[in-house]
Amino acid sequence: MDLQDRSYEIVVVGGGAAGTSAALSSARARRSVLVVDAGEPRNAPAGGVHNYLGREGTPPGDLVAAGRVEAERYGAEFATGEVIAAERAPDGDFRLTLDGGTAVTAARLVIATGLVDELPPVPGLAQRWGREVLHCPYCHGWEVRDRHVAVLGTGPMAPHQALLWRQWSPRITLLRHDLGELGSEDRAKLDARGITVVPGPVEGVRVEADRLTGVEVGGHVLACDALVVAPLFTARLGALADLGLRTEPVWRGDTPVGARLPVDASGATAVPGVWAAGNVTDLTGNVISAAAAGANVAAQVNFDLVEADTRADLRRAAGQDPFLVREREVADLVAGERRHGL
Ligand SMILES: Cc1cc2nc3c(=O)[nH]c(=O)nc-3n(C[C@H](O)[C@H](O)[C@H](O)COP(=O)(O)OP(=O)(O)OC[C@H]3O[C@@H](n4cnc5c(N)ncnc54)[C@H](O)[C@@H]3O)c2cc1C
């Protein structure tokens, strides 16, 4: 399908759970919608999606593919590619350029680009991400229940992480790694729960027969079945930042968690006409909450378009020149941007 210069009421950037769900709801609301997706969802390395009611354990690609078929049934379109340039055109629409050079326009944008997991720089760790290197016990805890789980101490939340994972296994080791001496309260809690603490920096991971079997610490190998890490979660904006979108840091207590794209309760960003859903704005969300957010945002976008359509029809009914009607719409958008200090 040749998309060059095609116009849509809604373009969704990102076709994971959030974006595909937004497309399904938008298409069912009889909006023309295109999803542009680079095809790298965050959970791609995982074997299954867990805690998704009705689809427990489905491979991540299968879940999104099923959603895509459903959305296409109602007329949603999908394009594979990365949005590499974005600007507000003089007529108020958004113009997006894909990596292949194709450009499309949209009256409204939904950003569902997810986040980037920044992993600790331990050699070999990134290659096992999503398999035996894990972060979320709700996603993976059951799969490693009763196994030996090591927790990499990269920040002050590590003792809490070790206590959390203890719910899934009695065999937990906290690797102090970057942590200094533990406080007496943390120490007492870990001791009470039977969690072993190992000092010294982790120098690498041990892999045998395509499985992580241990970590290298202090010149020794500590055998373990899984390694828990705390990535920094960074909203993936890329070229969309050129629209004036800015991320904000997210903290848990004194610990930085990452950076999110801020939105209001309706999912609207600070840039008029641009909404966001999923991990790009909710760093700790999961697949089912991303899908829910996509559906909710689609309803908000549809309502915004209903209001715009109504304003335009009112002006037409009042006998205004169609060109002036469009000019007025653009003026409203620009005034909205000024209100937001853009
Ligand atoms: C290893 C791992 C396992 C997980 N397991 C589970 C689990 O079992 N259960 C669970 O509920 N959650 C799980 N999660 C969390 C889950 O992956 C996320 O909550 C979910 O993927 C968020 O959906 P999303 O649509 O916001 O983003 P994503 O699924 O990450 O999708 C974003 C999409 O946008 C695309 N994109 C980004 N930038 C652009 C651009 N400029 N142009 C075009 N496309 C772009 C990406 O390529 C990607 O396809 C896991 C996470 C990880 C890391």
Side-chain angles (χ1 to χ4, degrees):
M1 179 177 36
D2 185 13
L3 294 178
Q4 185 61 35
D5 293 329
R6 295 265 305 269
S7 291
Y8 296 85
E9 290 174 296
I10 303 164
V11 171
V12 180
V13 187
T20 305
S21 173
L24 173 62
S25 290
S26 300
R28 282 180 47 80
R30 314 188 69 184
R31 296 292 177 189
S32 61
V33 55
L34 171 73
V35 179
V36 182
D37 185 36
E40 289 177 5
R42 208 183 144 209
N43 55 351
V49 175
H50 300 290
N51 290 334
Y52 196 108
L53 190 64
R55 295 279 180 195
E56 172 53 34
T58 306
D62 291 3
L63 185 69
V64 175
R68 177 175 170 160
V69 169
E70 289 167 356
E72 282 175 334
R73 207 180 293 152
Y74 294 100
E77 294 176 24
F78 286 77
T80 301
E82 187 186 353
V83 170
I84 55 161
E87 59 178 350
R88 173 91 78 184
D91 64 0
D93 282 350
F94 299 98
R95 190 162 176 83
L96 303 179
T97 307
L98 280 60
D99 47 2
T102 302
V104 295
T105 60
R108 301 291 184 271
L109 279 187
V110 174
I111 298 182
T113 46
L115 61 77
V116 177
D117 294 282
E118 290 178 31
L119 299 170
V122 170
L125 180 152
Q127 286 82 344
R128 307 310 303 172
W129 173 236
R131 297 167 77 184
E132 302 92 22
V133 173
L134 313 171
H135 75 301
C136 166
Y138 301 98
C139 304
H140 308 282
W142 176 265
E143 282 61 44
V144 295
R145 65 194 181 283
D146 296 331
R147 310 293 292 274
H148 184 187
V149 177
V151 177
L152 187 67
T154 51
M157 292 303 287
H160 303 276
Q161 235 181 336
L163 290 168
L164 180 62
W165 279 83
R166 174 66 181 78
Q167 169 60 20
W168 282 266
S169 175
R171 298 161 64 203
I172 305 288
T173 300
L174 174 58
L175 305 163
R176 277 213 344 243
H177 190 55
D178 285 345
L179 304 179
E181 281 296 335
L182 298 175
S184 56
E185 195 182 328
D186 280 338
R187 191 86 220 192
K189 287 179 181 171
L190 295 167
D191 284 350
R193 298 292 284 156
I195 296 172
T196 313
V197 179
V198 171
V202 174
E203 292 122 11
V205 300
R206 191 55 72 93
V207 177
E208 289 163 38
D210 199 28
R211 279 202 72 79
L212 180 138
T213 54
V215 291
E216 294 160 8
V217 53
H220 300 282
V221 174
L222 176 87
C224 62
D225 302 301
L227 178 62
V228 170
V229 299
L232 208 56
F233 305 128
T234 305
R236 186 158 38 184
L237 277 187
L240 296 162
D242 294 346
L243 295 171
L245 296 162
R246 296 287 170 266
T247 58
E248 66 178 15
V250 177
W251 297 82
R252 190 173 292 141
D254 294 337
T255 310
V257 174
R260 71 186 276 263
L261 176 63
V263 292
D264 69 13
S266 75
T269 71
V271 175
V274 183
W275 276 259
N279 271 171
V280 70
T281 180
D282 174 13
L283 301 182
T284 53
N286 56 13
V287 177
I288 206 159
S289 67
N296 288 336
V297 154
Q300 299 292 338
V301 174
N302 179 52
F303 190 64
D304 189 57
L305 285 167
V306 165
E307 286 191 320
D309 294 343
T310 308
R311 281 196 303 274
D313 281 347
L314 277 172
R315 285 173 191 143
R316 266 184 219 107
Q320 288 185 15
D321 180 306
F323 177 73
L324 292 177
V325 169
R326 183 64 182 150
E327 288 278 282
R328 189 64 199 274
E329 283 289 301
V330 175
D332 286 349
L333 276 172
V334 171
E337 289 192 346
R338 289 217 183 93
R339 270 200 303 283
H340 287 83
L342 296 164

